[in-house]
Amino acid sequence: MVALAAEKQDRNLLSRIAAGDGHGENSSYFDGWKAYEENPFHPIERPDGVIQMGLAENQLCGDLMRKWVLEHPEASICTAEGVNHFSDIAIFQDYHGLPEFRQAVAKFMEKTRNNRVKFDPDRIVMSGGATGAHETVAFCLANPGDGFLVPTPYYPGFDRDLRWRTGVNLVPVTCQSSNGFKITVEALEAAYQSARESNIPVKGLLITNPSNPLGTTLDRECLKSLVNFTNDKGIHLIADEIYAATTFGQSEFISVAEVIEDIPDCNRDLIHIVYSLSKDMGLPGLRVGIVYSYNNRVVNIARKMSSFGLVSSQTQHLIAKMLSDEDFVDEFIRESKLRLAARHAELTTGLDGLGIGWLKAEAGLFLWMDLRNLLKTATFDSETELWRVIVHKVKLNVSPGGSFHCHEPGWFRVCFANMDHKTMETALERIRVFTRQLEQENLNRTKPMAATKKKKCWQSSLRLSFNDTRRFEDGFFSPHSPVPPSPLVRAQT
């Protein structure tokens, strides 16, 4: 009682934001991270630790980045070669951003969109990563209690980025696996009407393209329908395009900036883009976020708000030098696509060999994996139960679809670009051991208990051993893998 009274008193002394849980950390998405942080995998020091497959980070081209930095020490003001710029860069800088930085970012955004569209450097607004950019846009477009439509499944961090401090509501637009989770006008209309019935004024539609967590891209016709929908409703369209350069297959990324060129009567004041260098360049720690708006008033107020989350002038200076090196940028984008394609093929071929389904996609740093066949019941409680086994026994931090507001239980996001090749092999070996044991336990149970109701075998006292450090033999991940798909975990996508 004393502890409860003290807690209540502490809450009364704090603001509602400080005392509340609006950050959204009470989620399996963040719980998986905590499990990893408590016992992180290391091939020598912690071979039985949790492998981090919940981090959407591109570490596949770190060698190219390090090579460029070593070859261009003058790009940093903290080196002997660059120190002459220290006084000019380290002093106060206008929150508009260094002109060379905005010009370089605009040029890079054009390049990642195959130079099919132009970006005005004067519309580039800085922010502390995409997190700050999204919150800035929310502050600019909506009042507390207003809502944004968001197609599901969507990035769990949006609940924090757009809602926590702004008081804005997120209204889910339910998308179905039956059509590959594509956004339809019918689903948008249903969500829009539902919000109105709940007295939530809808101020905009937020889309991610390429999608996180699906790894899919929106085609031109779909984007046109979204622009027309928002224009007809008189609401904003915010396009999160932070994975623009992570495409690696036949699908082509098309920016909303390109599509509005084909709509002569489009109200561009309603169009806004969020971008960053965290995913395309693998630089999340530098916190380079961008708001690009076609609305002059939004640009003006967002720039004033950027005072609360500026990109450091030293980082701006470095990025301006790096992105202005066109040969490096071209090589980086080209090599990144090749390495992402190879890693995606490694993971999907391994899963195919085990009969595990996944959503066909050709972008992003992750895979949308289908484990619906492993659920005891088609419920999110069962999904959570399975997820706990995967995290705490199989020791893989994958993220359950429920944390992404997916409408259907049994989907999991698996990140594949934040680790080296050997760690990926280890992760696939753990999945193989897990699924093979499930299959064996299932066979053992069905023989003597064919007429009785059976539990899913992962609910038994599962015992997995990863002491065998042998890797897959050469050729195991080839399209002609000799390992037959497991009938227990075969899933349709």
Side-chain angles (χ1 to χ4, degrees):
M1 293 295 293
V2 174
L4 290 175
E7 181 180 353
K8 184 176 181 180
Q9 183 180 14
D10 287 343
R11 286 179 173 271
N12 290 335
L13 291 173
L14 301 175
S15 70
R16 285 191 296 272
I17 289 179
D21 58 358
H23 183 274
E25 274 195 344
N26 296 327
S27 162
S28 52
Y29 174 77
F30 291 106
D31 287 344
W33 278 65
K34 294 170 186 175
Y36 166 77
E37 291 168 355
E38 291 171 359
N39 184 28
F41 169 81
H42 187 277
I44 298 174
E45 298 176 4
R46 288 176 180 262
D48 60 344
V50 177
I51 294 177
Q52 174 63 288
M53 304 188 84
L55 175 62
E57 190 169 271
N58 188 357
Q59 298 181 15
L60 299 183
C61 290
D63 59 319
L64 301 182
M65 195 67 68
R66 290 188 294 272
K67 181 174 181 288
W68 187 91
V69 170
L70 289 173
E71 293 176 350
H72 297 83
E74 76 285 352
S76 171
I77 62 174
C78 296
T79 62
E81 293 81 358
V83 72
N84 289 337
H85 294 287
F86 187 93
S87 296
D88 295 332
I89 299 300
I91 61 174
F92 173 78
Q93 301 293 339
D94 190 281
Y95 50 65
H96 285 66
L98 298 175
E100 58 269 29
F101 167 78
R102 289 185 285 110
Q103 291 165 7
V105 169
K107 190 74 174 177
F108 181 73
M109 290 176 67
E110 293 171 6
K111 189 178 291 287
T112 57
R113 291 148 180 84
N114 293 319
N115 294 308
R116 293 190 300 263
V117 65
K118 294 291 183 182
F119 289 100
D120 183 354
D122 290 334
R123 293 190 178 278
I124 297 287
V125 180
M126 293 184 298
S127 179
T131 294
H134 274 295
E135 185 182 61
T136 297
V137 171
F139 271 126
C140 287
L141 305 183
N143 296 309
D146 291 343
F148 289 115
L149 304 178
V150 190
T152 64
Y154 65 78
Y155 168 54
F158 284 159
D159 293 317
R160 169 200 63 204
D161 302 351
L162 284 93
R163 296 178 55 210
W164 187 26
R165 301 195 298 184
T166 66
V168 169
N169 293 301
L170 298 186
V171 180
V173 178
T174 302
C175 300
Q176 309 284 351
S177 64
S178 57
N179 69 345
F181 295 98
K182 292 180 180 178
I183 308 170
T184 65
V185 174
E186 292 77 14
L188 288 170
E189 189 65 50
Y192 182 83
Q193 294 303 327
S194 176
R196 288 175 61 105
E197 292 169 4
S198 299
N199 295 317
I200 299 176
V202 176
K203 286 298 184 71
L205 165 65
L206 169 63
I207 59 173
T208 57
N209 182 35
S211 167
N212 175 11
L214 301 177
T216 54
T217 56
L218 300 180
D219 60 42
R220 191 178 301 274
E221 290 306 311
C222 180
L223 280 167
K224 282 185 178 181
S225 71
L226 301 183
V227 172
N228 289 330
F229 175 85
T230 52
N231 264 222
D232 290 344
K233 300 293 186 185
I235 61 177
H236 298 274
L237 175 60
I238 307 104
D240 180 325
E241 298 184 349
I242 68 173
Y243 292 96
T246 66
T247 55
F248 47 82
Q250 297 300 316
S251 297
E252 183 180 39
F253 168 70
I254 301 172
S255 172
V256 69
E258 182 180 351
V259 168
I260 62 176
E261 298 289 339
D262 299 332
I263 305 177
D265 57 346
C266 174
N267 182 354
R268 299 193 179 195
D269 281 347
L270 299 176
I271 307 298
H272 320 275
I273 296 173
V274 169
Y275 189 59
S276 81
L277 299 183
S278 297
K279 311 303 181 181
D280 287 350
M281 293 294 287
L283 298 172
L286 297 191
R287 311 308 302 148
V288 181
I290 298 297
V291 174
Y292 189 92
S293 176
Y294 291 88
N295 186 312
N296 293 335
R297 295 178 67 186
V298 170
V299 170
N300 183 41
I301 191 61
R303 185 158 286 148
K304 293 174 181 176
M305 287 185 178
S306 69
S307 296
F308 298 100
L310 290 174
V311 179
S312 75
S313 54
Q314 178 180 348
T315 300
Q316 291 183 56
H317 180 72
L318 173 67
I319 292 300
K321 295 289 187 182
M322 180 181 292
L323 297 188
S324 296
D325 186 341
E326 295 198 19
D327 290 339
F328 167 73
V329 171
D330 289 342
E331 178 190 9
F332 186 93
I333 293 176
R334 180 175 59 254
E335 188 64 24
S336 177
K337 290 177 181 294
L338 290 174
R339 295 184 188 186
L340 284 171
R343 177 56 61 79
H344 179 270
E346 179 182 5
L347 175 58
T348 56
T349 303
L351 294 180
D352 286 346
L354 299 172
I356 296 177
W358 46 277
L359 183 71
K360 180 176 174 55
E362 297 173 318
L365 311 173
F366 29 72
L367 193 73
W368 196 231
M369 183 171 65
D370 185 357
L371 297 184
R372 287 176 293 178
N373 280 19
L374 290 183
L375 300 183
K376 177 186 177 185
T377 59
T379 64
F380 287 104
D381 285 342
S382 184
E383 176 187 272
T384 300
E385 201 170 350
L386 174 59
W387 167 78
R388 289 197 180 106
V389 170
I390 295 173
V391 171
H392 298 294
K393 292 189 177 182
V394 187
K395 302 292 184 67
L396 299 177
N397 176 29
V398 300
S399 305
S403 65
F404 290 81
H405 301 271
C406 184
H407 181 67
E408 303 170 18
W411 294 89
F412 292 77
R413 191 190 74 169
V414 183
C415 298
F416 57 75
N418 65 325
M419 65 190 72
D420 60 27
H421 172 69
K422 288 187 177 180
T423 303
M424 174 57 68
E425 283 188 325
T426 302
L428 282 167
E429 171 67 8
R430 291 184 180 187
I431 296 173
R432 186 191 69 80
V433 171
F434 177 51
T435 55
R436 285 295 181 262
Q437 182 162 345
L438 292 185
E439 181 178 356
Q440 186 59 50
E441 289 194 10
N442 185 61
L443 290 174
N444 292 341
R445 286 171 177 270
T446 54
K447 290 178 181 178
M449 302 173 60
T452 62
K453 186 176 180 180
K454 301 176 291 297
K455 292 183 178 180
K456 284 291 182 182
C457 51
W458 50 259
Q459 292 187 308
S460 66
S461 54
L462 188 66
R463 294 290 183 269
L464 300 178
S465 174
F466 302 120
N467 293 329
D468 186 354
T469 57
R470 291 175 296 174
R471 306 293 182 186
F472 284 119
E473 296 178 356
D474 292 342
F476 182 89
F477 295 123
S478 72
H480 307 292
S481 170
V483 180
S486 164
L488 175 66
V489 295
R490 185 177 298 112
Q492 301 300 318
T493 311

